[in-house]
Amino acid sequence: MPLFRRGANRVTVNEAHQRTQSADAHAVLLDVREQREWKAGHAPGAVHAPLSRLAAGEALPSAAQARPLVVICRSGHRSQHATELLAAHGVDAVDVQGGMQAWAAAGHPVINEHGNNGSIA
């Protein structure tokens, strides 16, 4: 039986925000989109690790190691794959339903590479 059943390891954007952005946050928001997408807009405090690099065996950034991860992409598809990959390696990870599109639609902040208002590419 897999560690996580499809759907069992998903959270809403509001749950993701609470787990990663609140004063008592203990998890890291891991953005698995590609560089162009990240530069256009991401959540403040998120850590970037493109799915393509994780799939190629690259290690997690140090800020994401040994921490619970809340994994996000543009729409929620790539983050599901990343979460499955990470879970197979023993990482405590959940993915965000609806991704950054839902994050922005819920009114959560999005910044670009310069820290200004960002957009979801």
Side-chain angles (χ1 to χ4, degrees), residues 9 31 51-52 55 68 75 99:
N9 59 333
D31 192 320
L51 176 57
S52 59
S75 66

Side-chain angles (χ1 to χ4, degrees), residues 32-34 37 51-52 71-84 95 121:
V32 297
R33 295 174 302 146
E34 295 303 318
E37 297 169 290
L51 176 57
S52 59
V71 184
I72 198 165
C73 65
R74 183 173 186 263
S75 66
H77 184 72
R78 286 176 284 180
S79 60
Q80 281 186 305
H81 291 295
T83 299
E84 291 169 359
D95 84 284

Side-chain angles (χ1 to χ4, degrees), residues 77-117:
H77 184 72
R78 286 176 284 180
S79 60
Q80 281 186 305
H81 291 295
T83 299
E84 291 169 359
L85 176 70
L86 293 164
H89 288 92
V91 176
D92 179 6
V94 296
D95 84 284
V96 180
Q97 294 172 322
M100 286 299 297
Q101 290 174 324
W103 179 276
H108 298 306
V110 177
I111 59 172
N112 65 18
E113 65 181 318
H114 304 293
N116 300 318
N117 287 333

